[in-house]
Amino acid sequence: MATDIVAQLADSLAKTAVEEGELSYKGQGRKLDNAQSVEEIVKEIQDFQGLQALRLEGNTIGVEAAQAIAKALETKSEFKCCYWSDMFTGRLRSEIPPALNSLGDALMMAGARLTVLDLSDNAFGPDGVKGIEKLLKSTACHTLQELRLNNCGMGIGGGKILAASLIECHKKSSAEGAPLSLKVFIAGRNRLENDGATALAQAFQLMGSLEEVHMPQNGINHPGVTALATAMQHNPGLRVLNLNDNTFTKKGAIAMAQALKHLRSIQVINFGDCLVRSEGALAIAEIVSDGLPILKELNLSFGEITEEAAVAVAQAVKGKAQLEKLDLNGNSLGEEGCEAVREVMNSMNMGDLLGSLSDDEGEPEDDDEEEDDEEEEEEDEDEEEVDEEEVEEEEEEEEESTGNLLSTPPSAPRPPDVSSFLSFPSPDKLLKLGAKRALLIEQQVDVSDATKTAEAFLKISSVYKEENEDVKSAVLDSIDALLRKAFATPSFQGYSFVSSLLVLLGLIKSEDKVKPVLVVPGHLQALEHVVRQDYFPKENVAVLEAFVSRNSKALDSCDNARNHLHSTLQTVQSDS
């Protein structure tokens, strides 16, 4: 009887989120094909008075199921938040637009006023954007504050449709006296390139209300970066700007530096892996030195920056009382340059705010390399520009060659190396490291350092995909190689590794004020694999089990993965 009560309670907690007015089916892995499969969900939506948010992440929803859910939403006038990321896994691409159209039409019919629309990780391409075009232009989105479209494969065509929709929404809402005031825009890994970024920049400039912009890994070169820089100047409330893993070069970096002059509210600047180069870094350093009073994080890693510019950047953060991290890793400083940067930071009593410089590329061999590279980039630019029709034709060819199944969109155009992957992990980067990826990662990480090993484990496991065998295998092979070597190293302290892992996962507090990572299911799924391996000391299993079993908010977003891990930890303990 008690077991039944616990089961019912667990089921209830799984469906209903802590937030008032929210109904959640997050991460339940349901395959919802037709109306019959969603009867329970439909009834609960209908019975939920004052429904404001619906979480469908981590399930897979067909057209008929979406239509049934949509019908139930037609009367929910108080509805505000759509948490609908990762809900079309394995669906035909042709299924997605009608499913989205049905849901959008229902929200419009209900008279809903949305504040959050999250459709990340759906890889629906330009056609998927067309599926939300009508919704975005409607009164339902006049109040939209957060638009999250990460990893959707929109391409240039989708970016242009999205931009036009936002501009139309702003125009209509302005006519009613309450202009669209979008605050958060997230669209990483979408192949927007220059044309898509430039189109969106026009919408950003028009709105002028953005507080967070995340557009990493979009293959944007300096023309697109310059357009975005101009737009950012018109968003004075911007706090976070993440353009990681695009290609600024000197021109784009200088344009972005000029934009930063106008952004006194900026707290986080992530231009890592953007090839800002030395001249760009110097321009950014000048602006940082003269302004940006509440800057917390500055990432200029992997930018081909040399010693002089890096030292200038370090000197520029003097007096930034709120600074938490300066990242200059992976540049071209050389040993003396790295030491010079450390000395500058230490002299300002800010040494602990400087990130690792372990991946420094050493001093450049050719002083003219920077100029030559930029000339090559400009010469190749015309070849990289693709119009909307060409992108859509490529999408259609891709559908035919893959049986019209969804696929993860490709990442940025430059081939990644191990340092790039560990700096900003993605499944594509891991796969592109090739068959020797496990060895390359093993060689890159200092396994004598338990904390660095734990950090590397979490970065690798963050891209774990249970449904993608290639990625899953690549992640587990890489982790096995890394940890097998670590635990076989005499100086490696297994307990310190587990302790660091618990700190980084947010399960215990650190005296050093280490900032926990955002926990994703892959972290726990990979850890579940690790604890079953012969290289992992069984005495550490009990420690992990003790903390994983606690009701920690850090793991709230990964209930299923946590439960599986907890069960495996208990099994391993009982078997040992």
Side-chain angles (χ1 to χ4, degrees):
M1 183 67 180
T3 304
D4 292 339
I5 293 172
V6 171
Q8 290 172 8
L9 178 60
D11 184 58
S12 176
L13 289 172
K15 292 175 182 174
T16 309
V18 175
E19 295 293 332
E20 185 178 355
E22 181 179 287
L23 187 59
S24 178
Y25 301 91
K26 181 178 179 178
Q28 295 187 10
R30 299 192 189 191
K31 192 171 188 295
L32 307 170
D33 296 322
N34 49 41
Q36 184 178 359
S37 65
V38 293
E39 284 180 352
E40 177 190 356
I41 294 175
V42 167
K43 186 177 187 307
E44 291 180 342
I45 292 173
Q46 291 171 336
D47 292 344
F48 199 121
Q49 298 300 314
L51 181 65
Q52 295 182 22
L54 178 62
R55 289 189 173 274
L56 296 172
E57 311 103 305
N59 299 286
T60 176
I61 300 173
V63 176
E64 190 180 333
Q67 290 170 342
I69 292 172
K71 186 70 175 174
L73 289 171
E74 287 179 357
T75 60
K76 302 300 176 181
S77 60
E78 298 178 45
F79 197 81
K80 293 180 180 180
C81 303
C82 307
Y83 298 107
W84 296 345
S85 63
D86 188 23
M87 67 173 194
F88 294 116
T89 300
R91 297 290 171 185
L92 298 178
R93 188 164 288 177
S94 59
E95 291 182 82
I96 300 176
L100 291 173
N101 270 317
S102 297
L103 293 165
D105 288 347
L107 297 176
M108 289 185 280
M109 182 177 293
R113 290 300 181 109
L114 298 183
T115 57
V116 178
L117 179 58
D118 184 356
L119 290 166
S120 296
D121 299 316
N122 281 313
F124 46 46
D127 288 342
V129 185
K130 291 176 183 177
I132 58 172
E133 183 178 7
K134 186 164 58 169
L135 174 64
L136 288 171
K137 292 179 179 180
S138 74
T139 56
C141 286
H142 286 186
T143 50
L144 196 63
Q145 294 183 13
E146 298 184 19
L147 180 58
R148 301 171 180 267
L149 296 168
N150 201 56
N151 189 29
C152 287
M154 291 189 289
I156 295 172
K160 288 183 175 181
I161 296 169
L162 177 60
S165 300
L166 291 173
I167 290 171
E168 181 71 13
C169 183
H170 185 271
K171 179 181 176 181
K172 288 181 177 178
S173 57
S174 297
E176 294 182 4
L180 170 66
S181 298
L182 192 68
K183 290 181 170 57
V184 177
F185 180 83
I186 300 177
R189 300 187 71 229
N190 270 292
R191 295 179 293 169
L192 294 170
E193 301 184 30
N194 290 333
D195 285 355
T198 300
L200 285 165
Q202 294 173 355
F204 298 162
Q205 184 168 330
L206 188 63
M207 291 185 292
S209 56
L210 290 167
E211 296 179 4
E212 291 188 30
V213 174
H214 301 262
M215 297 175 66
Q217 285 186 290
N218 270 296
I220 307 170
N221 298 325
H222 74 76
V225 172
T226 301
L228 289 171
T230 301
M232 293 307 114
Q233 295 181 32
H234 297 270
N235 288 266
L238 193 69
R239 294 183 293 103
V240 178
L241 181 56
N242 175 9
L243 295 174
N244 192 290
D245 204 0
N246 290 291
T247 309
F248 283 31
T249 63
K250 179 180 74 174
K251 286 186 178 180
I254 291 175
M256 197 57 75
Q258 294 303 309
L260 292 174
K261 278 185 181 179
H262 304 268
L263 303 176
R264 292 186 60 79
S265 296
I266 198 80
Q267 296 179 10
V268 178
I269 300 171
N270 187 343
F271 297 160
D273 207 8
C274 284
L275 290 182
V276 297
R277 297 197 169 127
S278 294
E279 288 184 79
L282 286 169
I284 292 170
E286 181 180 352
I287 303 305
V288 171
S289 179
D290 293 342
L292 313 190
I294 57 174
L295 186 66
K296 290 184 176 180
E297 294 184 23
L298 176 59
N299 183 346
L300 296 178
S301 60
F302 299 92
E304 294 188 0
I305 300 170
T306 53
E307 176 183 348
E308 180 186 358
V311 168
V313 171
Q315 292 170 336
V317 301
K318 182 178 182 180
K320 306 299 176 190
Q322 296 189 34
L323 191 74
E324 296 175 358
K325 184 175 183 181
L326 171 63
D327 192 345
L328 291 170
N329 199 17
N331 283 298
S332 303
L333 310 184
E335 289 185 15
E336 292 183 2
C338 288
E339 188 57 35
V341 169
R342 292 190 187 99
E343 286 180 5
V344 169
M345 295 297 287
N346 288 331
S347 71
M348 301 184 296
N349 293 321
M350 301 175 80
D352 57 333
L353 306 182
L354 178 65
S356 170
L357 298 175
S358 60
D359 295 320
D360 187 74
E361 299 288 343
E363 295 181 41
E365 295 180 4
D366 185 354
D367 292 336
D368 296 327
E369 183 178 354
E370 181 175 322
E371 182 180 347
D372 292 342
D373 284 353
E374 185 160 351
E375 288 175 358
E376 288 175 11
E377 188 238 334
E378 291 175 359
E379 290 172 359
D380 292 339
E381 197 166 61
D382 288 340
E383 297 177 13
E384 293 174 351
E385 296 292 335
V386 186
D387 64 27
E388 180 179 347
E389 291 180 0
E390 288 174 333
V391 171
E392 291 185 350
E393 286 173 5
E394 290 172 5
E395 292 285 344
E396 290 169 4
E397 290 171 4
E398 182 183 359
E399 287 180 23
E400 292 172 2
S401 65
T402 60
N404 203 31
L405 286 174
L406 293 180
S407 59
T408 303
S411 302
R414 286 180 286 106
D417 55 19
V418 178
S419 298
S420 175
F421 167 72
L422 290 174
S423 175
F424 196 82
S426 75
D428 291 332
K429 281 187 178 181
L430 181 62
L431 293 177
K432 287 178 180 177
L433 290 175
K436 294 184 178 180
R437 66 180 69 86
L439 177 61
L440 293 172
I441 291 172
E442 177 188 326
Q443 293 172 340
Q444 183 76 18
V445 179
D446 179 8
V447 295
S448 64
D449 188 316
T451 300
K452 288 182 179 178
T453 305
E455 289 172 346
F457 165 78
L458 291 175
K459 288 184 176 182
I460 299 167
S461 60
S462 70
V463 305
Y464 181 96
K465 297 286 183 184
E466 182 67 35
E467 69 277 5
N468 188 320
E469 285 300 325
D470 289 341
V471 174
K472 177 180 177 181
S473 177
V475 168
L476 297 183
D477 288 349
S478 300
I479 285 172
D480 282 342
L482 175 68
L483 296 186
R484 194 177 296 279
K485 179 180 178 181
F487 283 107
T489 301
S491 60
F492 185 75
Q493 296 181 332
Y495 182 79
S496 295
F497 168 79
V498 172
S499 178
S500 296
L501 203 58
L502 292 170
V503 168
L504 291 167
L505 289 172
L507 297 178
I508 58 176
K509 291 183 179 180
S510 166
E511 295 179 359
D512 300 325
K513 297 183 179 179
V514 174
K515 187 177 180 180
V517 301
L518 177 63
V519 182
V520 297
H523 291 142
L524 307 186
Q525 290 165 325
L527 188 55
E528 183 185 355
H529 164 83
V530 166
V531 299
R532 293 196 298 257
Q533 306 310 306
D534 57 5
Y535 59 74
F536 191 80
K538 295 298 180 278
E539 61 267 23
N540 290 333
V541 171
V543 178
L544 284 173
E545 195 274 333
F547 285 96
V548 171
S549 63
R550 296 179 180 178
N551 291 324
S552 170
K553 291 182 179 180
L555 305 184
D556 279 352
S557 62
C558 308
D559 278 344
N560 283 354
R562 172 172 58 181
N563 292 339
H564 283 297
L565 172 59
H566 188 210
S567 176
T568 298
L569 288 167
Q570 289 178 319
T571 301
V572 172
Q573 272 190 282
S574 62
D575 290 345
S576 58

